[in-house]
Amino acid sequence: MSCLLLGVIRRQGAVGACVGARSLASIPSLPPAVAEFVKGAVEECKPSGVHVVTGTPVETANILAGLEKEGMVKKLPKYENCWLARTDPKDVARVESKTVIVTKNQRDTIPIPSGGVKSQLGSWMSESDWQKAREERFPGCMTGRTMYVIPFSMGPVGSNLAKYGVQVTDSPYVVASMGIMTRMGTPVLNKLSEGLEFVRCQHSLGRPFPLKAPLVNAWPCNPDKVLISHLPDTRQILSFGSGYGGNSLLGKKCFALRIASRIAKDEGWLAEHMLILGITNPQGVKRYVAAAFPSACGKTNLAMMKPALPGWKVECVGDDIAWMKFDSQGKLRAINPENGFFGVAPGTSDKTNPYAMNTIAKNTVFTNVGETSDGGVWWEGLDPPAAGITLTDWHGKTWKQGSSTPCAHPNSRFCAPAAQCPIIDPLWESEEGVPIDAIIFGGRRPQGVPLVYESFNWQHGVFVGAAMRSEATAAAEHKGKVIMHDPFAMRPFFGYNFGDYLAHWLSMESRKAPTHLPRIFHVNWFRKDPASGAFLWPGFGENARVLEWIFKRCGRQREDEAARKSIIGWLPEDGAIDTKGLGSNVDMGALFDVPKPFWQNETKELRAYFTQQVGVDLPVKVEAELKALEDRVHN
């Protein structure tokens, strides 16, 4: 592949430095610090050639043509410039068990759990163990392959909220995907030539030539040796053995959350697993909201919602990650550091998310979805294909409706440019970010948790985020419908000790500079009727009714405006949620019931979790909020 691709690029005269590994010094365009990083990676990984990515359309077309020739992707003739990749079935999701943070002291990474239990708040690896793991993996890992050097920006190039990275990789699939998910190429290199700091990202599929065993689905990976490691002190990421999204597109969770959360702590801002949306009322007043949900809780659907309420408008700034910093006036401003959407395909449809369907109609890379015989894609949640159209599943086998296995992998993905979203917010690339009025936490809770409530204050809101729990998800390798603790929807993504993370959030209230803190809410679209097991709330566009109440609460004059106090926070008062046109079968009483026995049990679970998992690192103020909730639920 590598020689072939270099040949293609030379023949087509694409801009970009392509050199043999030995003549790296002859790349004149690399800033000194970047050249030094690349030189070290070349010496360790021994690629057959180096290609500095420019990000031009010609280059991208050549990368995709090379991938197609290798059999790693195939063109989907039904759409404009869309591609399908099928991975090795052993390389389909984030691998939390092989994802580590490397620091001198364990407690810098995770609170030390009590009683010898395993930490759920991250995996620490000692520097010596990591060095050994690196030496077992990286030397010579790119033999016979091209090393691509990807200069990229998280956030609009030039924004004071943006951060830069350079990723070296032997995966052209990663190059194609990073071109969608980040701002990539020459403009970033120009910025780095000013001497700006950058995160060093090194990625290898771990399948040097000659191959020791045949590839599965023409997809190079090394599942037995997967290791995704982060070194926050030196701002480095080294990922080995996986070609799948979250493990290989190092700008995403690895940089934008794990490393960025640590940079944010050091610099006094927040890097969070949150969507950002703008909502405008019928009078033309607009507010921006950031919301944290674990995977499979409808984050992308909310970010691109089509409101069921007449006259209301939602616009999307981002669907996954928010970087938030206070401006000189004390307003919290957010950017979406990404440039694309890396969304879960199954369940996305014209009914659940028409705008996402519109977004992915062109220039999109699909991974592990089903394929139709007329050159399109298919997954669970879409209408059955037209008569005479047959389906091929994500393994490349013929598939029929009613089969015992799914057609698309539950964590199959689309990777599409954000600019194609028909409701992308006009300010989505604003260099100063958008002003955040509300932060929403949410999870998939079948019982006990009301549709929406507001925290009593900032400190209580931080506790609400810390207390988040949700049914597990296909985005990681967990199985089944177990309710897991997922504080701030960041459980797999903390870049440092969770106790220190909570203290960092609490510290926002005591900033010396002027500070206008957003209000904090919790939502639950997924409560079920205990008798029938059916969802109590229709969700999707109807969630605008909840956003309307949140919108009103952000502009309130009195604390109890449109709200009543409960043991867990402020609930909408009766009639405060607009139910016009909702249908009579929605039981608002059941949706807002706060059963004391449920919450007594919830506080017991939280007490055990905080004691076991966070221990002495739990901030006193969070402990005080838990104690206050315990008192309220028992009185």
Side-chain angles (χ1 to χ4, degrees):
M1 160 75 198
S2 53
C3 306
L4 171 117
L5 183 59
L6 289 174
V8 167
I9 288 168
R10 287 200 185 103
R11 278 197 303 281
Q12 305 221 349
V15 188
C18 312
V19 294
R22 287 199 187 83
S23 59
L24 182 69
S26 68
I27 303 181
S29 57
L30 290 183
V34 178
E36 188 189 345
F37 165 56
V38 174
K39 184 167 177 278
V42 166
E43 283 168 4
E44 181 173 33
C45 303
K46 306 277 190 289
S48 63
V50 175
H51 172 67
V52 179
V53 173
T54 59
T56 63
V58 173
E59 179 189 63
T60 305
N62 288 329
I63 293 273
L64 287 161
L67 280 165
E68 187 173 34
K69 192 155 186 157
E70 284 285 288
M72 276 184 78
V73 301
K74 77 189 278 191
K75 202 162 175 33
L76 293 161
K78 192 171 176 180
Y79 320 112
E80 182 190 334
N81 192 32
C82 286
W83 305 80
L84 172 63
R86 292 194 183 102
T87 72
D88 183 316
K90 289 183 176 166
D91 191 22
V92 293
R94 282 186 292 105
V95 191
E96 285 176 20
S97 54
K98 307 283 179 68
T99 302
V100 300
I101 311 263
V102 183
T103 49
K104 203 178 266 341
N105 302 308
Q106 183 174 358
R107 203 167 156 195
D108 291 339
T109 294
I110 47 171
I112 310 303
S114 65
V117 298
K118 188 179 177 330
S119 174
Q120 296 171 19
L121 292 162
S123 295
W124 174 74
M125 188 179 257
S126 71
E127 290 175 336
S128 57
D129 284 355
W130 177 77
Q131 196 54 47
K132 191 164 159 269
R134 178 178 189 167
E135 285 161 12
E136 285 169 1
R137 287 167 175 80
F138 280 98
C141 64
M142 295 188 187
T143 303
R145 295 188 183 276
T146 298
M147 176 188 282
Y148 299 92
V149 179
I150 308 172
F152 66 96
S153 175
M154 301 308 292
V157 179
S159 164
N160 72 334
L161 286 143
K163 297 285 176 190
Y164 302 100
V166 175
Q167 176 166 347
V168 296
T169 179
D170 52 4
S171 166
Y173 168 88
V174 166
V175 181
S177 303
M178 286 287 281
I180 296 171
M181 293 307 299
T182 70
R183 287 103 176 150
M184 167 186 97
T186 306
V188 180
L189 215 48
N190 295 340
K191 210 74 194 143
L192 292 175
S193 66
E194 296 170 17
L196 295 174
E197 288 179 8
F198 63 94
V199 173
R200 289 153 173 79
C201 307
Q202 182 170 312
H203 168 253
S204 176
L205 300 164
R207 294 300 298 270
F209 287 107
L211 294 173
K212 292 201 171 100
L215 300 179
V216 179
N217 279 345
W219 182 266
C221 63
N222 190 340
D224 299 334
K225 286 277 192 187
V226 168
L227 185 68
I228 298 102
S229 56
H230 307 72
L231 285 72
D233 292 332
T234 50
R235 316 299 199 225
Q236 282 174 280
I237 302 161
L238 286 93
S239 172
F240 185 92
S242 170
Y244 164 80
N247 305 326
S248 66
L249 310 181
L250 301 185
K252 199 161 178 54
K253 310 292 194 193
C254 297
F255 179 164
L257 290 177
R258 295 189 193 100
I259 294 292
S261 65
R262 170 60 195 278
I263 297 173
K265 173 182 172 274
D266 295 347
E267 296 181 356
W269 50 281
L270 299 166
E272 300 298 328
H273 187 207
M274 293 181 178
L275 65 90
I276 310 164
L277 63 82
I279 180 161
T280 308
N281 72 6
Q283 290 72 45
V285 179
K286 185 168 192 176
R287 296 187 184 280
Y288 287 94
V289 171
F293 297 91
S295 297
C297 289
K299 198 141 130 262
T300 303
N301 291 344
L302 182 62
M304 300 186 199
M305 183 211 285
K306 195 172 190 172
L309 285 180
W312 286 79
K313 182 164 77 169
V314 164
E315 288 165 301
C316 176
V317 177
D319 78 326
D320 196 35
I321 296 170
W323 286 0
M324 302 186 283
K325 193 184 278 188
F326 287 97
D327 66 15
S328 56
Q329 266 68 59
K331 190 73 185 172
L332 191 63
R333 289 190 167 266
I335 61 164
N336 166 16
E338 299 191 291
N339 193 46
F341 301 122
F342 186 67
V344 174
T348 306
S349 69
D350 285 326
K351 177 183 173 289
T352 61
N353 195 335
Y355 297 130
M357 293 301 288
N358 203 300
T359 304
I360 62 181
K362 61 182 181 185
N363 305 317
T364 297
V365 177
F366 296 94
T367 304
N368 289 339
V369 299
E371 183 187 4
T372 60
S373 56
D374 61 346
V377 290
W378 193 86
W379 50 76
E380 280 65 20
L382 292 178
D383 291 335
I389 303 292
T390 57
L391 288 168
T392 303
D393 71 8
W394 69 280
H395 292 288
K397 297 191 171 73
T398 303
W399 188 89
K400 288 190 167 55
Q401 297 281 351
S403 167
S404 59
T405 56
C407 184
H409 186 275
N411 192 43
S412 55
R413 297 280 173 160
F414 54 78
C415 181
Q420 291 181 181
C421 177
I423 55 158
I424 199 74
D425 194 89
L427 293 181
W428 86 280
E429 293 196 282
S430 155
E431 289 190 3
E432 54 276 357
V434 297
I436 299 296
D437 284 325
I439 289 171
I440 301 173
F441 297 118
R444 187 178 272 271
R445 299 300 306 270
Q447 293 169 302
V449 180
L451 180 62
V452 60
Y453 63 97
E454 183 185 347
S455 70
F456 295 126
N457 50 48
W458 181 259
Q459 180 177 305
H460 178 235
V462 173
F463 167 75
V464 169
M468 277 172 66
R469 300 173 72 207
S470 190
E471 276 185 348
T473 151
E477 76 271 46
H478 302 290
K479 302 281 187 287
K481 295 286 185 193
V482 40
I483 303 269
M484 292 176 67
H485 289 271
D486 196 348
F488 290 76
M490 280 284 284
R491 182 192 53 75
F493 309 122
F494 292 117
Y496 62 100
N497 183 307
F498 173 54
D500 297 340
Y501 170 94
L502 289 173
H504 181 57
W505 266 78
L506 290 166
S507 75
M508 298 299 149
E509 205 170 17
S510 51
R511 290 174 78 247
K512 290 189 173 60
T515 306
H516 304 287
L517 293 168
R519 303 200 189 282
I520 297 178
F521 299 82
H522 187 284
V523 299
N524 174 30
W525 320 129
F526 300 98
R527 194 164 182 175
K528 290 180 174 175
D529 179 336
S532 68
F535 288 117
L536 287 168
W537 180 249
F540 304 113
E542 304 297 354
N543 294 339
R545 299 170 188 276
V546 173
L547 291 185
E548 180 193 27
W549 182 74
I550 289 172
F551 189 100
K552 280 193 298 211
R553 290 289 290 170
C554 288
R556 67 174 189 244
Q557 303 299 307
R558 296 186 332 273
E559 203 178 26
D560 63 351
E561 203 172 300
R564 60 186 171 88
K565 209 167 192 174
S566 78
I567 54 173
I568 59 168
W570 291 99
L571 294 172
E573 67 184 4
D574 291 347
I577 299 269
D578 182 350
T579 55
K580 240 193 331 286
L582 193 56
S584 55
N585 57 347
V586 176
D587 185 342
M588 299 304 280
L591 277 163
F592 286 103
D593 182 35
V594 180
K596 269 195 172 174
F598 172 89
W599 282 92
Q600 286 163 1
N601 187 61
E602 190 79 357
T603 54
K604 209 163 82 185
E605 291 267 354
L606 285 169
R607 170 70 63 188
Y609 178 71
F610 287 153
T611 303
Q612 210 174 58
Q613 289 290 326
V614 198
V616 293
D617 290 325
L618 188 73
V620 173
K621 288 177 174 177
V622 176
E623 157 69 32
E625 288 296 339
L626 176 57
K627 179 77 180 69
L629 179 60
E630 286 170 334
D631 292 346
R632 291 194 301 269
V633 300
H634 286 288
N635 288 340

